[in-house]
Amino acid sequence: MATSTDTMRVAAPRAAARPNRPKHPLGVFGALSHLALVVWLILVVGPILWTFLASFKTNAEIVGDAPLALPQGYSFDAWVRAWDKAHIGRYMLNTVFVVAVSTAFTMLFGSMAAYVLARYRFFGNRIVYYLFVSGLSFPVFLALVPLFFVVRNLGLIDSHLGVILVYIAYSLPFTVFFLTAFFKTLPTSVAEAAMMDGASHTRTFFQIMMPMARPGLISITIFNILGQWNQYLLPIVLLSGGVEDKWLITQGIANINTNAGYEADWPGLFAALSMAIIPMLIVYIVFQRQIQSGLTAGAVK
């Protein structure tokens, strides 16, 4: 009897340490949510995968009776044609340069403006903030005509500098809106301690606050890169056909289909699209965790 009692005493803490967790059934709404995710996955991944596979097909395979079938052979001839004859390589380098410079200055100016609006109280603070935010509600295509004349009057039409300045202007509203909310969630005690130790406002911002805001900065940087890389309307307006060597990748891809006429090079077009998709896909995969942490870090104070 004593042995049975001791066994029960030993087993009791173990049972308490490992309580039976109730199993939550998936339920109707859970099943529908999983089904919606599967459908969304197919809608997103399917076209990207088909575009990549179509770059290895021939025109007859793409427009034939079985356009969804796998390619009969895997040849990089279409990729070579897109890179050399369609000059996608040159357009991609132009895009990398323009997006890199515009994103760098967007993050610099946007983070400085957001930090001041979030941390300092002065007359007109809310007015300046709402002016930035109002840019989010202004469609790009409504400003194309006046924007063209403004850039032309500045002597920056058909130049990468003009495109860079416009990209910065159109990326600042969302950058300031996002980072202002993020800077408000950061603790003020660290900045106050740095100021008491003699650090200037500039040093406090660049050496203390910016490292603390790293998740938010990485997230908004990726969003700006994606938005500027895929921009089509602004390059079309600011870079005319007379400066084809300065075109960006979206113009080059559109030009493949425009100049093809009745002899469309569909594999070359899809190869060029794949070249434009792959770099952004790699960027998102590499920085996926930083993007998610940056989006959630500003939600909890």
Side-chain angles (χ1 to χ4, degrees):
M1 187 67 181
T3 303
S4 177
T5 304
D6 294 339
T7 303
M8 293 176 62
R9 290 177 178 175
V10 174
R14 293 181 180 177
R18 293 182 298 177
N20 294 327
R21 296 182 179 179
K23 295 182 179 180
H24 297 282
L26 188 61
V28 177
F29 292 104
L32 291 177
S33 64
H34 282 71
L35 179 62
L37 289 175
V38 172
V39 173
W40 180 255
L41 177 66
I42 295 174
L43 292 176
V44 173
V45 178
I48 296 177
L49 182 61
W50 187 86
T51 299
F52 181 75
L53 293 176
S55 65
F56 297 99
K57 296 182 179 181
T58 61
N59 282 331
E61 292 180 80
I62 294 175
V63 300
D65 297 331
L68 299 180
L70 294 175
Q72 297 179 359
Y74 292 89
S75 174
F76 284 91
D77 292 340
W79 293 67
V80 174
R81 292 197 305 272
W83 186 269
D84 292 335
K85 295 183 179 180
H87 309 295
I88 293 298
R90 179 200 302 165
Y91 302 147
M92 184 174 292
L93 291 178
N94 292 341
T95 308
V96 169
F97 169 74
V98 170
V99 172
V101 175
S102 60
T103 302
F105 281 99
T106 299
M107 295 308 302
L108 176 63
F109 298 147
S111 60
M112 293 172 66
Y115 177 73
V116 171
L117 293 173
R119 292 290 180 172
Y120 297 93
R121 293 292 175 263
F122 56 89
F123 178 76
N125 180 295
R126 291 293 87 188
I127 297 177
V128 175
Y129 174 75
Y130 289 132
L131 285 176
F132 274 113
V133 175
S134 63
L136 295 173
S137 61
F138 198 79
V140 177
F141 60 86
L142 289 181
L144 291 179
V145 175
L147 182 64
F148 171 80
F149 287 107
V150 170
V151 176
R152 190 186 66 175
N153 292 336
L154 293 175
L156 299 177
I157 202 71
D158 291 340
S159 68
H160 286 160
L161 179 58
V163 178
I164 289 171
L165 293 178
V166 173
Y167 276 9
I168 294 173
Y170 272 96
S171 300
L172 276 177
F174 181 70
T175 303
V176 173
F177 171 75
F178 183 91
L179 291 180
T180 300
F182 194 89
F183 276 121
K184 288 182 179 180
T185 64
L186 300 180
T188 59
S189 57
V190 180
E192 292 173 354
M195 297 293 291
M196 292 180 63
D197 289 340
S200 62
H201 293 282
T202 304
R203 185 177 179 182
T204 302
F205 172 70
F206 283 105
Q207 295 187 0
I208 297 175
M209 302 308 295
M210 285 195 71
M212 294 175 61
R214 183 172 176 268
L217 293 174
I218 293 177
S219 299
I220 195 63
T221 298
I222 300 302
F223 284 128
N224 284 330
I225 291 174
L226 293 174
Q228 295 176 9
W229 182 274
N230 296 322
Q231 183 60 244
Y232 177 68
L233 285 177
L234 293 177
I236 284 291
V237 173
L238 302 177
L239 298 174
S240 64
V243 288
E244 188 174 342
D245 58 323
K246 296 182 180 180
W247 279 4
L248 304 186
I249 190 168
T250 50
Q251 294 174 276
I253 293 174
N255 190 55
I256 294 176
N257 194 27
T258 302
N259 292 339
Y262 293 102
E263 298 179 358
D265 184 9
W266 295 112
L269 176 62
F270 289 121
L273 286 172
S274 300
M275 293 180 190
I277 293 173
I278 290 175
M280 295 299 99
L281 195 61
I282 293 174
V283 168
Y284 184 80
I285 292 174
V286 171
F287 295 99
Q288 181 180 4
R289 291 186 178 181
Q290 288 83 348
I291 294 174
Q292 293 175 352
S293 62
L295 291 176
T296 57
V300 180
K301 187 173 181 179

